[in-house]
């Protein structure tokens, strides 16, 4: 998808616009957004064009309209009910993160194979055994799942999800998932982000003067 870099930047624009609205700002310029994000104003305008919004000369974008345009484009105007599978450290952290609600995801139930976790709840979200998943998918009409299980079990659980009507999977495991046509998956690769950060830090440190050296 050639618009993928733009789509990846839209949540940051949305976060900034929401903050500006809380501060009472009615308008925001592309140069202001670009300055905060460290990108050129021209790129900001091109990014926002994808949402169908247009700015006002010398004033910029109305913050309320820009917020709605980004949310509508991303499908975040309405929340998606979701199931989370795997209540380990990462899964528990996601269940405890209230910010998901701001980005169109409403986790309504979690699942785990550990009997010590089944029957408990995190932030009011109940945890069930995996055997309950088929019935609850049908009852709640859920179509989105968040996968935070050990990678060796990822494909087996994915097959279970797809077989019971899940059509979108947010994959936080390191496994590559095989799914039939029409099923949407997105792999959230945390370590790719870490690699970028580490590489930038390594280059920055390498450019620093060596201890004890003297520049002329």
């Amino acid at each position: 998808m050639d618009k993928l870099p733009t789509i990846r930047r839209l949540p940051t624009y949305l976060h900034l616009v929401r903050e500006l609205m809380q501060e009472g700002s009615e308008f925001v310029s592309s140069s202001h957004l670009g300055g905060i994000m460290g990108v050129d104003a021209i790129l900001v305008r091109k990014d926002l064009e994808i949402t169908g919004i247009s700015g006002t000369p010398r004033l910029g974008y109305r913050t309320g309209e820009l917020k709605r345009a980004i949310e509508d484009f991303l499908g975040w105007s309405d929340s998606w009910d979701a199931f989370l599978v795997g209540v380990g450290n990462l899964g528990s952290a996601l269940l405890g993160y209230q910010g998901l609600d701001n980005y169109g995801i409403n986790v309504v139930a979690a699942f785990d194979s550990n009997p010590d976790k089944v029957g408990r709840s995190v932030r009011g979200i109940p945890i069930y055994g995996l055997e309950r998943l088929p019935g609850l998918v049908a009852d709640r009409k859920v179509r989105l799942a968040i996968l935070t299980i050990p990678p060796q079990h990822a494909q087996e659980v994915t097959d279970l999800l797809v077989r019971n009507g899940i059509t979108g999977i947010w994959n936080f495991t390191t496994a590559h998932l095989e799914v039939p046509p029409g099923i949407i998956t997105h792999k959230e690769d945390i370590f790719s982000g870490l690699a970028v950060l580490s590489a930038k830090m390594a280059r920055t440190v390498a450019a620093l003067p060596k201890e004890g050296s003297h520049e002329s």
Side-chain angles (χ1 to χ4, degrees):
M1 182 185 294
D2 59 348
K3 296 295 185 180
L4 191 56
T6 292
I7 293 173
R8 290 185 182 279
R9 286 189 289 269
L10 287 180
T12 304
Y13 294 131
L14 180 59
H15 174 72
L16 294 174
V17 170
R18 284 172 171 168
E19 286 189 336
L20 289 168
M21 290 179 66
Q22 290 179 348
E23 295 169 2
S25 299
E26 185 179 356
F27 287 91
V28 61
S29 67
S30 56
S31 59
H32 181 76
L33 291 172
I36 296 175
M37 294 179 62
V39 299
D40 194 89
I42 295 176
L43 177 62
V44 174
R45 290 194 291 272
K46 288 182 177 179
D47 283 347
L48 297 181
E49 281 177 4
I50 198 175
T51 70
I53 195 171
S54 57
T56 302
R58 293 186 295 277
L59 290 176
Y61 304 91
R62 288 188 178 275
T63 52
E65 293 178 359
L66 181 55
K67 172 181 174 290
R68 286 191 296 273
I70 297 174
E71 288 175 341
D72 289 346
F73 179 83
L74 294 174
W76 290 352
S77 299
D78 298 309
S79 292
W80 289 88
D81 284 348
F83 286 159
L84 182 140
V85 184
V87 193
N89 291 333
L90 178 56
S92 297
L94 287 174
L95 289 178
Y97 178 55
Q98 298 184 25
L100 284 177
D101 298 341
N102 293 326
Y103 297 99
I105 294 181
N106 177 36
V107 179
V108 295
F111 299 85
D112 202 277
S113 59
N114 186 341
D116 292 335
K117 296 178 181 178
V118 173
R120 298 185 178 184
S121 65
V122 176
R123 199 166 60 87
I125 300 169
I127 303 172
Y128 300 100
L130 278 172
E131 72 280 356
R132 294 286 306 277
L133 191 143
L136 287 171
V137 170
D139 290 345
R140 302 295 295 266
K141 302 295 188 295
V142 170
R143 295 293 176 263
L144 174 65
I146 304 170
L147 210 57
T148 53
I149 60 176
Q152 63 269 28
H153 303 303
Q155 187 62 54
E156 177 185 359
V157 172
T158 294
D159 294 342
L160 174 67
L161 293 168
V162 172
R163 196 161 57 241
N164 286 281
I166 293 294
T167 57
I169 299 174
W170 192 5
N171 177 21
F172 279 85
T173 80
T174 56
H176 173 73
L177 304 178
E178 297 289 342
V179 296
I183 304 300
I184 300 169
T185 66
H186 176 74
K187 190 172 184 297
E188 196 64 51
D189 195 342
I190 297 174
F191 294 105
S192 292
L194 177 60
V196 172
L197 174 64
S198 298
K200 288 180 178 179
M201 289 185 65
R203 288 196 296 272
T204 300
V205 171
L208 294 175
K210 302 297 182 183
E211 186 176 348
S213 65
H214 299 281
E215 295 183 357
S216 57

Coordinates of all heavy atoms in Angstrom, one line a residue, residues 102-181:
N102 N -9.6 5.4 22.8 CA -9.5 6.6 22.0 C -9.2 6.3 20.5 O -9.2 7.2 19.7 CB -8.4 7.5 22.5 CG -8.8 8.1 23.9 OD1 -10.0 8.3 24.1 ND2 -7.8 8.3 24.7
Y103 N -8.8 5.1 20.2 CA -8.4 4.7 18.9 C -9.3 3.6 18.3 O -8.9 2.8 17.5 CB -6.9 4.3 18.9 CG -6.0 5.4 19.3 CD1 -5.5 5.5 20.6 CD2 -5.7 6.4 18.4 CE1 -4.7 6.6 20.9 CE2 -4.9 7.5 18.7 CZ -4.4 7.5 20.0 OH -3.6 8.6 20.4
G104 N -10.5 3.6 18.7 CA -11.5 2.8 18.0 C -11.5 1.3 18.4 O -12.1 0.5 17.7
I105 N -10.9 0.9 19.5 CA -10.9 -0.5 19.9 C -11.5 -0.6 21.3 O -11.0 0.0 22.2 CB -9.5 -1.1 19.8 CG1 -8.9 -1.1 18.4 CG2 -9.4 -2.5 20.4 CD1 -7.6 -1.7 18.3
N106 N -12.5 -1.5 21.4 CA -13.1 -1.7 22.7 C -13.0 -3.2 23.0 O -13.7 -4.0 22.4 CB -14.6 -1.3 22.6 CG -15.4 -1.6 23.8 OD1 -14.9 -1.5 24.9 ND2 -16.6 -2.0 23.7
V107 N -12.0 -3.5 23.8 CA -11.8 -4.9 24.2 C -12.9 -5.3 25.1 O -13.1 -4.8 26.2 CB -10.4 -5.1 24.8 CG1 -10.2 -6.6 25.2 CG2 -9.3 -4.7 23.9
V108 N -13.7 -6.3 24.7 CA -14.9 -6.7 25.5 C -14.7 -8.0 26.3 O -15.4 -8.3 27.2 CB -16.1 -6.9 24.6 CG1 -16.5 -5.5 24.0 CG2 -15.9 -7.9 23.5
A109 N -13.6 -8.8 25.9 CA -13.3 -10.0 26.6 C -11.9 -10.5 26.3 O -11.4 -10.1 25.2 CB -14.3 -11.2 26.2
A110 N -11.3 -11.3 27.2 CA -10.0 -11.8 27.0 C -10.0 -13.3 27.2 O -10.9 -13.8 27.9 CB -9.0 -11.2 28.0
F111 N -9.0 -14.0 26.7 CA -9.0 -15.5 26.7 C -7.6 -15.9 27.1 O -6.6 -15.3 26.6 CB -9.5 -16.1 25.4 CG -10.9 -15.7 25.0 CD1 -11.1 -14.5 24.3 CD2 -11.9 -16.5 25.3 CE1 -12.4 -14.2 24.0 CE2 -13.2 -16.2 25.0 CZ -13.4 -15.0 24.3
D112 N -7.5 -17.0 27.8 CA -6.2 -17.6 28.2 C -6.4 -19.0 28.5 O -7.5 -19.5 28.9 CB -5.6 -16.8 29.4 CG -4.1 -17.0 29.5 OD1 -3.7 -18.0 30.0 OD2 -3.4 -16.1 29.0
S113 N -5.3 -19.8 28.3 CA -5.4 -21.2 28.6 C -5.0 -21.6 30.1 O -5.1 -22.7 30.5 CB -4.5 -22.0 27.6 OG -3.1 -21.5 27.8
N114 N -4.5 -20.6 30.8 CA -4.1 -20.8 32.2 C -5.3 -20.7 33.1 O -5.9 -19.7 33.2 CB -3.1 -19.7 32.6 CG -2.5 -19.9 33.9 OD1 -3.0 -20.6 34.8 ND2 -1.4 -19.2 34.2
P115 N -5.6 -21.8 33.8 CA -6.8 -21.9 34.6 C -6.7 -20.9 35.8 O -7.8 -20.5 36.4 CB -6.9 -23.3 35.1 CG -5.5 -23.9 34.9 CD -4.9 -23.1 33.7
D116 N -5.5 -20.5 36.2 CA -5.4 -19.5 37.3 C -5.8 -18.1 36.9 O -6.1 -17.3 37.8 CB -3.9 -19.5 37.7 CG -3.4 -20.7 38.4 OD1 -4.3 -21.5 38.9 OD2 -2.2 -21.0 38.4
K117 N -5.9 -17.9 35.6 CA -6.3 -16.5 35.1 C -7.8 -16.5 34.7 O -8.4 -15.5 34.7 CB -5.4 -16.1 33.9 CG -4.0 -15.9 34.2 CD -3.1 -15.6 33.0 CE -1.7 -15.4 33.4 NZ -0.8 -15.1 32.2
V118 N -8.3 -17.7 34.3 CA -9.7 -17.8 33.9 C -10.6 -17.4 35.0 O -10.4 -17.9 36.2 CB -10.0 -19.2 33.3 CG1 -11.5 -19.3 33.0 CG2 -9.2 -19.4 32.0
G119 N -11.6 -16.6 34.8 CA -12.6 -16.3 35.8 C -12.2 -14.9 36.5 O -13.0 -14.4 37.2
R120 N -11.0 -14.4 36.2 CA -10.6 -13.1 36.8 C -11.0 -12.0 35.8 O -11.5 -12.3 34.7 CB -9.1 -13.1 37.1 CG -8.7 -14.1 38.1 CD -7.2 -13.9 38.5 NE -6.8 -14.9 39.5 CZ -5.6 -14.9 40.1 NH1 -4.7 -14.0 39.7 NH2 -5.3 -15.7 41.0
S121 N -10.7 -10.8 36.1 CA -10.9 -9.7 35.2 C -9.8 -8.7 35.3 O -9.1 -8.6 36.3 CB -12.3 -9.1 35.4 OG -12.3 -8.5 36.7
V122 N -9.6 -7.9 34.2 CA -8.6 -6.8 34.2 C -9.4 -5.6 33.8 O -9.9 -5.6 32.7 CB -7.4 -7.1 33.3 CG1 -6.5 -5.9 33.3 CG2 -6.6 -8.3 33.8
R123 N -9.4 -4.5 34.6 CA -10.1 -3.3 34.3 C -11.6 -3.6 33.9 O -12.1 -3.0 33.0 CB -9.4 -2.5 33.2 CG -9.8 -1.0 33.1 CD -8.9 -0.2 32.3 NE -8.8 -0.7 30.9 CZ -9.6 -0.3 29.9 NH1 -10.6 0.5 30.2 NH2 -9.4 -0.7 28.7
G124 N -12.1 -4.6 34.5 CA -13.5 -4.9 34.3 C -13.7 -5.8 33.1 O -14.9 -6.2 32.7
I125 N -12.6 -6.2 32.4 CA -12.7 -7.1 31.2 C -12.6 -8.5 31.7 O -11.5 -8.9 32.2 CB -11.7 -6.7 30.2 CG1 -11.8 -5.3 29.7 CG2 -11.7 -7.7 29.0 CD1 -10.7 -4.7 28.9
P126 N -13.6 -9.4 31.5 CA -13.5 -10.8 31.9 C -12.5 -11.6 31.1 O -12.3 -11.4 29.9 CB -14.9 -11.3 31.8 CG -15.5 -10.4 30.7 CD -14.8 -9.1 30.8
I127 N -11.9 -12.6 31.8 CA -11.0 -13.5 31.2 C -11.7 -14.9 31.1 O -12.1 -15.5 32.2 CB -9.7 -13.6 31.9 CG1 -9.0 -12.2 32.0 CG2 -8.7 -14.6 31.2 CD1 -7.8 -12.2 32.9
Y128 N -11.8 -15.5 29.9 CA -12.4 -16.8 29.7 C -11.4 -17.8 29.3 O -10.3 -17.5 28.7 CB -13.5 -16.7 28.7 CG -14.6 -15.8 29.0 CD1 -14.7 -14.5 28.5 CD2 -15.6 -16.1 29.9 CE1 -15.7 -13.6 28.8 CE2 -16.7 -15.3 30.2 CZ -16.7 -14.0 29.6 OH -17.7 -13.1 29.9
G129 N -11.7 -19.1 29.4 CA -10.9 -20.1 28.7 C -11.2 -20.1 27.2 O -12.2 -19.7 26.8
L130 N -10.2 -20.7 26.4 CA -10.4 -20.6 25.0 C -11.6 -21.4 24.5 O -12.1 -21.1 23.4 CB -9.1 -21.2 24.3 CG -7.9 -20.2 24.2 CD1 -6.7 -20.9 23.7 CD2 -8.3 -19.1 23.2
E131 N -12.0 -22.4 25.3 CA -13.2 -23.2 24.9 C -14.5 -22.3 24.8 O -15.4 -22.7 24.1 CB -13.4 -24.3 25.8 CG -14.0 -24.0 27.2 CD -12.9 -23.5 28.2 OE1 -11.7 -23.5 27.8 OE2 -13.3 -23.1 29.3
R132 N -14.5 -21.1 25.4 CA -15.6 -20.3 25.4 C -15.6 -19.4 24.1 O -16.6 -18.7 23.9 CB -15.7 -19.4 26.6 CG -15.9 -20.1 27.9 CD -17.3 -20.6 28.1 NE -18.3 -19.5 27.9 CZ -18.6 -18.6 28.9 NH1 -18.1 -18.8 30.1 NH2 -19.5 -17.7 28.7
L133 N -14.5 -19.3 23.4 CA -14.4 -18.3 22.3 C -15.4 -18.5 21.2 O -16.0 -17.5 20.8 CB -12.9 -18.4 21.8 CG -12.6 -17.3 20.8 CD1 -11.1 -16.9 21.0 CD2 -12.8 -17.7 19.3
P134 N -15.6 -19.7 20.7 CA -16.6 -19.9 19.6 C -18.0 -19.3 19.9 O -18.6 -18.6 19.1 CB -16.6 -21.4 19.3 CG -15.3 -21.9 19.8 CD -15.0 -21.0 21.0
G135 N -18.5 -19.7 21.1 CA -19.8 -19.2 21.5 C -19.9 -17.7 21.7 O -20.9 -17.0 21.3
L136 N -18.8 -17.1 22.2 CA -18.8 -15.7 22.5 C -18.6 -14.9 21.2 O -19.2 -13.8 21.1 CB -17.7 -15.3 23.5 CG -18.1 -15.8 25.0 CD1 -16.9 -15.6 25.9 CD2 -19.3 -15.0 25.5
V137 N -17.9 -15.4 20.3 CA -17.8 -14.7 19.0 C -19.2 -14.6 18.3 O -19.6 -13.5 17.8 CB -16.8 -15.5 18.0 CG1 -16.9 -14.9 16.6 CG2 -15.4 -15.4 18.5
A138 N -19.9 -15.7 18.4 CA -21.2 -15.7 17.8 C -22.2 -14.7 18.6 O -23.0 -14.0 18.0 CB -21.8 -17.1 17.8
D139 N -22.1 -14.8 19.9 CA -23.0 -14.0 20.7 C -22.7 -12.5 20.6 O -23.7 -11.7 20.5 CB -22.9 -14.4 22.2 CG -23.5 -15.8 22.5 OD1 -24.3 -16.3 21.6 OD2 -23.2 -16.3 23.5
R140 N -21.4 -12.1 20.6 CA -21.1 -10.7 20.6 C -20.8 -10.1 19.2 O -20.6 -8.9 19.1 CB -19.8 -10.5 21.5 CG -19.9 -11.0 22.9 CD -20.9 -10.2 23.7 NE -20.5 -8.8 23.9 CZ -19.9 -8.3 24.9 NH1 -19.6 -9.1 25.9 NH2 -19.6 -7.0 25.0
K141 N -20.9 -11.0 18.2 CA -20.6 -10.5 16.8 C -19.3 -9.8 16.7 O -19.2 -8.8 15.9 CB -21.8 -9.6 16.3 CG -23.2 -10.3 16.4 CD -23.3 -11.4 15.5 CE -24.7 -12.0 15.4 NZ -25.2 -12.5 16.7
V142 N -18.3 -10.3 17.4 CA -17.0 -9.7 17.4 C -16.2 -10.2 16.1 O -16.3 -11.4 15.7 CB -16.2 -10.1 18.6 CG1 -14.7 -9.7 18.5 CG2 -16.8 -9.4 19.8
R143 N -15.5 -9.3 15.5 CA -14.8 -9.6 14.2 C -13.3 -9.3 14.3 O -12.5 -9.6 13.4 CB -15.4 -8.8 13.0 CG -16.8 -9.2 12.7 CD -16.9 -10.6 12.2 NE -18.2 -11.1 11.9 CZ -18.9 -11.8 12.8 NH1 -18.4 -12.2 14.0 NH2 -20.2 -12.2 12.5
L144 N -12.8 -8.7 15.4 CA -11.4 -8.3 15.6 C -10.8 -9.0 16.8 O -11.5 -9.1 17.9 CB -11.3 -6.8 15.7 CG -9.9 -6.2 16.1 CD1 -9.0 -6.5 14.9 CD2 -10.0 -4.8 16.3
A145 N -9.6 -9.6 16.6 CA -8.9 -10.2 17.8 C -7.5 -9.6 17.9 O -6.9 -9.3 16.9 CB -8.8 -11.7 17.6
I146 N -7.0 -9.5 19.1 CA -5.7 -9.1 19.4 C -4.9 -10.3 19.9 O -5.3 -10.9 20.9 CB -5.7 -8.0 20.4 CG1 -6.5 -6.8 20.0 CG2 -4.2 -7.5 20.7 CD1 -6.7 -5.7 21.0
L147 N -3.8 -10.7 19.3 CA -3.1 -11.9 19.6 C -1.8 -11.6 20.4 O -0.9 -10.9 19.9 CB -2.8 -12.6 18.3 CG -2.7 -14.2 18.3 CD1 -4.0 -14.8 18.8 CD2 -2.3 -14.7 16.9
T148 N -1.8 -12.0 21.7 CA -0.6 -11.7 22.5 C -0.2 -13.0 23.2 O 0.0 -13.0 24.4 CB -0.9 -10.6 23.5 OG1 -2.1 -11.0 24.3 CG2 -1.1 -9.3 22.9
I149 N -0.1 -14.1 22.4 CA 0.3 -15.4 23.0 C 1.7 -15.8 22.6 O 2.3 -15.2 21.7 CB -0.7 -16.5 22.5 CG1 -0.7 -16.6 21.0 CG2 -2.1 -16.1 23.0 CD1 -1.6 -17.7 20.5
P150 N 2.3 -16.9 23.2 CA 3.6 -17.4 22.7 C 3.5 -17.7 21.2 O 2.5 -18.3 20.8 CB 3.8 -18.6 23.6 CG 3.0 -18.3 24.8 CD 1.8 -17.6 24.4
P151 N 4.5 -17.4 20.4 CA 4.5 -17.6 19.0 C 4.2 -19.1 18.6 O 3.6 -19.3 17.5 CB 5.8 -17.1 18.5 CG 6.7 -17.1 19.7 CD 5.8 -16.8 20.9
Q152 N 4.6 -20.0 19.4 CA 4.5 -21.4 19.0 C 3.0 -21.8 18.9 O 2.6 -22.9 18.4 CB 5.3 -22.4 19.9 CG 4.9 -22.4 21.3 CD 5.7 -21.4 22.2 OE1 6.1 -20.3 21.6 NE2 5.9 -21.7 23.4
H153 N 2.1 -21.0 19.6 CA 0.7 -21.4 19.6 C -0.1 -20.4 18.7 O -1.3 -20.6 18.6 CB 0.2 -21.3 21.0 CG 0.9 -22.1 22.0 ND1 0.9 -23.5 21.8 CD2 1.5 -21.8 23.2 CE1 1.6 -24.0 22.9 NE2 2.0 -23.0 23.7
A154 N 0.6 -19.5 18.0 CA -0.1 -18.4 17.3 C -0.9 -19.0 16.1 O -2.1 -18.6 15.9 CB 0.9 -17.4 16.8
Q155 N -0.4 -19.9 15.3 CA -1.1 -20.4 14.2 C -2.3 -21.2 14.6 O -3.4 -21.1 14.0 CB -0.2 -21.2 13.3 CG -0.8 -21.6 12.0 CD -1.2 -20.4 11.1 OE1 -0.4 -19.6 10.8 NE2 -2.5 -20.3 10.7
E156 N -2.2 -22.0 15.6 CA -3.3 -22.9 16.0 C -4.4 -22.0 16.5 O -5.6 -22.2 16.2 CB -2.8 -23.8 17.2 CG -3.9 -24.6 17.8 CD -3.4 -25.4 19.0 OE1 -2.2 -25.3 19.4 OE2 -4.2 -26.1 19.6
V157 N -4.1 -20.9 17.3 CA -5.2 -20.1 17.8 C -5.7 -19.2 16.7 O -7.0 -19.0 16.6 CB -4.6 -19.2 18.9 CG1 -5.6 -18.1 19.3 CG2 -4.2 -20.0 20.1
T158 N -4.9 -18.8 15.7 CA -5.4 -18.1 14.5 C -6.4 -18.9 13.8 O -7.5 -18.4 13.4 CB -4.2 -17.7 13.6 OG1 -3.4 -16.7 14.3 CG2 -4.7 -17.1 12.3
D159 N -6.1 -20.2 13.6 CA -7.0 -21.1 12.9 C -8.4 -21.1 13.6 O -9.4 -21.1 13.0 CB -6.4 -22.5 12.8 CG -5.2 -22.5 11.8 OD1 -5.0 -21.6 11.1 OD2 -4.4 -23.5 11.9
L160 N -8.3 -21.2 14.9 CA -9.5 -21.2 15.8 C -10.3 -19.9 15.6 O -11.6 -19.9 15.4 CB -9.2 -21.4 17.2 CG -10.3 -21.3 18.2 CD1 -11.3 -22.5 18.0 CD2 -9.8 -21.3 19.7
L161 N -9.6 -18.8 15.6 CA -10.3 -17.5 15.4 C -11.0 -17.4 14.1 O -12.1 -17.0 14.0 CB -9.2 -16.4 15.6 CG -8.6 -16.2 17.0 CD1 -7.4 -15.3 16.9 CD2 -9.7 -15.7 18.0
V162 N -10.2 -17.7 13.0 CA -10.8 -17.6 11.7 C -12.0 -18.5 11.5 O -13.0 -18.2 10.9 CB -9.7 -17.9 10.7 CG1 -10.3 -17.9 9.2 CG2 -8.6 -16.8 10.7
R163 N -11.8 -19.7 12.0 CA -12.9 -20.7 11.9 C -14.2 -20.3 12.5 O -15.3 -20.7 12.1 CB -12.4 -22.1 12.5 CG -13.2 -23.3 12.1 CD -12.4 -24.6 12.4 NE -12.0 -24.7 13.8 CZ -10.7 -24.7 14.2 NH1 -9.7 -24.7 13.3 NH2 -10.4 -24.9 15.4
N164 N -14.1 -19.4 13.5 CA -15.3 -19.0 14.2 C -15.7 -17.6 13.9 O -16.5 -17.0 14.6 CB -15.0 -19.1 15.7 CG -15.1 -20.6 16.2 OD1 -16.1 -21.2 16.3 ND2 -13.9 -21.2 16.3
G165 N -15.2 -17.0 12.8 CA -15.7 -15.8 12.3 C -14.9 -14.5 12.5 O -15.3 -13.4 12.1
I166 N -13.7 -14.6 13.1 CA -12.9 -13.4 13.2 C -12.3 -13.1 11.9 O -11.7 -14.0 11.2 CB -11.7 -13.7 14.3 CG1 -12.3 -13.9 15.7 CG2 -10.7 -12.6 14.2 CD1 -12.9 -12.6 16.2
T167 N -12.3 -11.9 11.5 CA -11.8 -11.5 10.1 C -10.7 -10.5 10.2 O -10.1 -10.2 9.1 CB -13.0 -10.8 9.3 OG1 -13.5 -9.7 10.0 CG2 -14.1 -11.8 9.1
G168 N -10.3 -10.0 11.4 CA -9.1 -9.1 11.5 C -8.3 -9.5 12.7 O -8.9 -9.7 13.8
I169 N -7.0 -9.6 12.6 CA -6.1 -10.1 13.7 C -5.0 -9.1 13.8 O -4.2 -8.9 12.9 CB -5.6 -11.5 13.5 CG1 -6.8 -12.5 13.4 CG2 -4.6 -11.9 14.6 CD1 -6.3 -13.9 13.0
W170 N -4.9 -8.5 15.0 CA -3.7 -7.6 15.3 C -2.7 -8.5 16.0 O -2.9 -8.9 17.2 CB -4.2 -6.5 16.2 CG -3.2 -5.4 16.4 CD1 -2.0 -5.2 15.9 CD2 -3.4 -4.2 17.3 NE1 -1.4 -4.1 16.3 CE2 -2.2 -3.5 17.2 CE3 -4.4 -3.8 18.2 CZ2 -2.1 -2.3 17.9 CZ3 -4.3 -2.7 18.9 CH2 -3.1 -1.9 18.7
N171 N -1.7 -8.8 15.3 CA -0.7 -9.9 15.8 C 0.5 -9.3 16.5 O 1.4 -8.7 15.9 CB -0.3 -10.7 14.5 CG 0.8 -11.7 14.9 OD1 0.9 -12.2 16.0 ND2 1.5 -12.2 13.8
F172 N 0.6 -9.5 17.8 CA 1.7 -9.0 18.6 C 2.7 -10.1 18.8 O 3.7 -9.9 19.5 CB 1.2 -8.5 19.9 CG 0.7 -7.1 19.9 CD1 -0.7 -6.9 19.6 CD2 1.5 -6.0 20.2 CE1 -1.2 -5.6 19.6 CE2 0.9 -4.7 20.2 CZ -0.4 -4.5 19.9
T173 N 2.6 -11.3 18.1 CA 3.6 -12.3 18.3 C 4.6 -12.2 17.2 O 4.5 -11.4 16.3 CB 2.9 -13.7 18.2 OG1 2.7 -14.0 16.8 CG2 1.6 -13.8 18.9
T174 N 5.7 -13.0 17.3 CA 6.7 -13.0 16.3 C 6.4 -14.0 15.2 O 7.2 -14.0 14.2 CB 8.1 -13.3 16.9 OG1 8.0 -14.6 17.6 CG2 8.5 -12.3 17.9
A175 N 5.3 -14.7 15.2 CA 4.9 -15.7 14.3 C 4.4 -15.0 13.0 O 3.7 -14.0 13.0 CB 3.9 -16.7 14.8
H176 N 4.7 -15.7 11.8 CA 4.0 -15.3 10.6 C 2.8 -16.1 10.4 O 2.8 -17.3 10.5 CB 4.9 -15.5 9.4 CG 4.3 -15.3 8.1 ND1 4.0 -14.1 7.6 CD2 3.8 -16.2 7.1 CE1 3.4 -14.2 6.4 NE2 3.3 -15.5 6.1
L177 N 1.6 -15.5 10.3 CA 0.3 -16.2 10.3 C -0.1 -16.5 8.9 O -0.1 -15.6 8.0 CB -0.7 -15.3 11.0 CG -0.4 -14.9 12.5 CD1 -1.6 -14.0 13.0 CD2 -0.2 -16.1 13.4
E178 N -0.5 -17.7 8.7 CA -1.1 -18.1 7.4 C -2.6 -18.0 7.6 O -3.2 -18.7 8.4 CB -0.7 -19.6 7.1 CG 0.8 -19.8 6.9 CD 1.3 -19.1 5.6 OE1 0.4 -18.9 4.7 OE2 2.5 -18.9 5.5
V179 N -3.3 -17.2 6.7 CA -4.7 -17.0 6.8 C -5.3 -17.1 5.4 O -4.6 -16.8 4.4 CB -5.1 -15.7 7.5 CG1 -4.6 -15.6 8.9 CG2 -4.5 -14.5 6.7
P180 N -6.6 -17.5 5.3 CA -7.2 -17.6 4.0 C -7.5 -16.2 3.4 O -7.4 -15.2 4.2 CB -8.5 -18.3 4.3 CG -8.8 -18.1 5.7 CD -7.4 -18.0 6.4
P181 N -7.8 -16.1 2.1 CA -8.1 -14.8 1.5 C -9.3 -14.1 2.3 O -10.2 -14.8 2.7 CB -8.5 -15.2 0.1 CG -7.8 -16.4 -0.2 CD -7.8 -17.2 1.1

